[in-house]
Amino acid sequence: MTMERHVAPPVIAVTGMAFEARIAHGAGVQAVYAARSDLLERALAAALAAGASGVISFGTAGGLAAELGAGTLIVADAIDGPGGRIPTDSAWRERIVSKLTAEPLGAPWQCGVLAAVTAPLTSTEQKAALNRTRGALAVDMESHVAAAMAQAHGLPFMACRAIVDPAWRALPEAAIAGLRDDGTTAIVPILASLLRAPSQLGAMIRLAGDARAARATLTQVRRTLGPAFARP
């Protein structure tokens, strides 16, 4: 007699950039990505239509709390976005916290509110204002999309984001000039922006170091969590 093995639907990891999706992808996890919200919604809708067991927002975030440096992981207990505040799944969050407590990361991590916005925050004043009004530790542009669509489909939702630009750093124009709508990066617009304003070079070099720290945290988180990442 042949026994059929049931395979659970994947968790959908929602990211804004291609490199984040590559880190998230793995056993039991399907990653979707796009920098433009309508493209991200379309990709996520298609993935959900094929079946999913949960949705996790994963990738980088801008720092809002002044004490948190680049590479700090935010394990979100809620998303505060344009549509209001949506809590993350408590059981999934507790499983992740338990795993991170048992196997410490090489980077700091903290639970708290993650803000979500529809346009990049480029100034330290914007970051401080959002931290003050929403009490959020960090901010990204994808988590509100992921949270709302998970809620609409009755699926558990979670978010883990690593800070790439701390609250005290402004984001130079060149940093966002090369981000394509589909979440990939183009080098020519970045170089063109630097040629127009060479004074950005120092900020871009610092951002590159911060980005390495955030990427290292995401890679380590994905490895450390293992099945906990994909088990809502």
Side-chain angles (χ1 to χ4, degrees):
M1 185 174 75
T2 302
M3 298 287 289
E4 291 187 7
R5 192 174 76 174
H6 173 71
V7 178
V11 161
I12 309 301
V14 179
T15 77
M17 300 181 70
F19 87 88
E20 299 165 333
R22 287 193 293 271
I23 295 172
H25 182 78
V29 178
Q30 176 186 346
V32 299
Y33 65 92
R36 210 173 75 193
S37 61
D38 61 326
L39 297 180
L40 184 63
E41 288 173 8
R42 194 180 308 162
L44 180 52
L48 292 174
S53 59
V55 177
I56 184 167
S57 175
F58 183 77
T60 58
L64 298 180
E67 70 275 13
L68 302 180
T72 301
L73 178 71
I74 306 302
V75 180
D77 51 35
I79 304 301
D80 194 333
R85 186 169 290 204
I86 299 177
T88 56
D89 184 80
S90 58
W92 197 354
R93 182 175 66 252
E94 287 169 11
R95 188 174 294 113
I96 287 174
V97 167
S98 177
K99 187 73 172 176
L100 294 177
T101 303
E103 299 181 33
L105 294 175
W109 60 274
Q110 190 168 330
C111 289
V113 175
L114 185 64
V117 294
T118 57
L121 299 186
T122 57
S123 73
T124 56
E125 292 80 12
Q126 288 174 314
K127 293 180 180 183
L130 196 60
N131 173 250
R132 189 167 55 250
T133 57
R134 298 197 196 175
L137 301 179
V139 60
D140 71 76
M141 295 173 57
E142 298 83 38
S143 288
H144 63 294
V145 174
M149 293 184 73
Q151 187 179 60
H153 284 75
L155 293 171
F157 169 75
M158 190 55 214
C160 291
R161 291 269 170 168
I163 291 177
V164 65
D165 52 308
W168 60 86
R169 287 210 210 286
L171 201 60
E173 177 193 313
I176 56 178
L179 181 59
R180 297 189 181 105
D181 289 344
D182 66 357
T184 58
T185 302
I187 191 65
V188 172
I190 296 174
L191 295 176
S193 179
L194 286 171
L195 284 173
R196 287 193 303 271
S199 59
Q200 300 179 91
L201 183 59
M204 287 295 288
I205 292 172
R206 288 188 293 271
L207 181 61
D210 291 343
R212 283 194 296 271
R215 185 191 289 259
T217 294
L218 292 175
T219 301
Q220 189 176 8
V221 166
R222 186 66 181 90
R223 186 184 306 119
T224 299
L225 291 182
F229 185 89
R231 189 179 300 158

